[in-house]
Amino acid sequence: ELKVEQNPLFLSMQEGKNYTIYCNYSTTSDRLYWYRQDPGKSLESLFVLLSNGAVKQEGRLMASLDTKARLSTLHITAAVHDLSATYFCAVNRGGAQKLVFGQGTRLTINP
Amino acid sequence: DVKVTQSSRYLVKRTGEKVFLECVQDMDHENMFWYRQDPGLGLRLIYFSYDVKMKEKGDIPEGYSVSREKKERFSLILESASTNQTSMYLCASRTDRDYEQYFGPGTRLTVT
């Protein structure tokens, strides 16, 4: 059974600092997703990582994938308040893109 | 832009009622999905459909059924709502030609 675990589940940090969210998964998969969710809103796609060693960056967010370690990281550089949200990773299972989600990491960035 | 819409943002129903949640996508996507989201559990797949009239159970199908009579529309049905089905329900769609799943705004269902 595919399990996806994120840590930390809650993260409070100051503006300007760097931090990393970790996403571990239990069985082989060829695709990993990162989503952002603002309070009361739906999920917004951030990154899709397709291969071992894949790295994608958008603004202050950078995601990477290590399929051998079954680990993805979402790195936040010089955090700003606008990045406060809940971040989910998800891993696909099966050919029809059935996704298994992590629990989510609630990120709060304080001025 | 891909658009996935859901019929209601908020819904309050009584225990035992039959509840219909509707999802419509406008991008001719083959695949559609229903998830529920609960705090600390992330999103869990209830059902998905890969074609009209085709469906497969997800991880938590008990107490739910689905209907897909037209390609653009995927309905989630709670035959007899119970309080443990109080949750946020999210619909998503995806084409076979792309990896992205596009999510609707969600329906927050409260069963009293």
Side-chain angles (χ1 to χ4, degrees):
Chain A
E1 181 188 351
L2 176 58
K3 290 186 187 296
V4 182
E5 293 192 352
Q6 290 180 233
N7 74 85
L9 299 185
F10 298 92
L11 179 56
S12 180
M13 52 193 291
Q14 287 187 314
E15 280 191 325
K17 301 287 187 183
N18 304 332
Y19 212 83
T20 301
I21 300 171
Y22 297 89
C23 175
N24 291 272
Y25 54 100
S26 59
T27 63
T28 301
S29 177
D30 61 354
R31 209 157 295 148
L32 189 135
Y33 299 75
W34 284 99
Y35 290 92
R36 168 182 172 147
Q37 186 180 40
D38 293 301
K41 301 287 180 66
S42 190
L43 272 70
E44 172 193 353
S45 177
L46 294 174
F47 303 108
V48 182
L49 302 170
L50 302 176
S51 60
N52 189 42
V55 176
K56 289 195 173 180
Q57 183 163 4
E58 179 75 33
R60 300 175 189 274
L61 300 178
M62 184 173 72
S64 65
L65 178 62
D66 181 343
T67 58
K68 292 177 183 173
R70 297 179 190 152
L71 171 68
S72 180
T73 60
L74 181 66
H75 187 72
I76 302 141
T77 301
V80 293
H81 179 69
D82 286 352
L83 291 178
S84 296
T86 298
Y87 293 85
F88 291 94
C89 65
V91 176
N92 81 302
R93 177 188 56 193
Q97 286 295 294
K98 290 184 280 188
L99 296 184
V100 178
F101 282 78
Q103 311 97 309
T105 296
R106 185 181 293 180
L107 173 63
T108 303
I109 298 168
N110 304 303
Chain B
D1 277 355
V2 175
K3 192 152 183 161
V4 181
T5 57
Q6 295 182 227
S7 50
S8 304
R9 292 301 306 275
Y10 301 94
L11 209 51
V12 180
K13 295 291 181 181
R14 294 199 180 274
T15 302
E17 279 193 80
K18 190 168 186 176
V19 181
F20 292 87
L21 303 182
E22 301 280 333
C23 175
V24 177
Q25 49 92 7
D26 66 356
M27 286 301 292
D28 202 36
H29 285 176
E30 296 84 3
N31 306 284
M32 296 186 75
F33 306 82
W34 275 107
Y35 296 90
R36 67 176 279 176
Q37 182 180 8
D38 300 288
L41 296 178
L43 279 73
R44 292 177 291 166
L45 181 65
I46 304 171
Y47 267 98
F48 75 100
S49 169
Y50 51 91
D51 202 350
V52 175
K53 298 190 187 294
M54 307 303 288
K55 61 186 179 186
E56 278 196 28
K57 293 180 180 179
D59 297 314
I60 51 164
E62 296 79 18
Y64 303 94
S65 62
V66 290
S67 173
R68 193 167 180 201
E69 296 296 318
K70 293 185 178 181
K71 192 174 186 180
E72 68 270 20
R73 188 179 298 268
F74 192 34
S75 302
L76 180 70
I77 304 154
L78 287 66
E79 295 289 342
S80 177
S82 63
T83 55
N84 62 13
Q85 293 178 310
T86 291
S87 187
M88 170 73 90
Y89 290 87
L90 290 160
C91 175
S93 73
R94 188 188 74 87
T95 176
D96 284 339
R97 300 177 297 280
D98 191 6
Y99 305 120
E100 291 279 0
Q101 274 197 26
Y102 297 89
F103 283 83
T107 296
R108 185 166 293 282
L109 172 67
T110 302
V111 182
T112 61

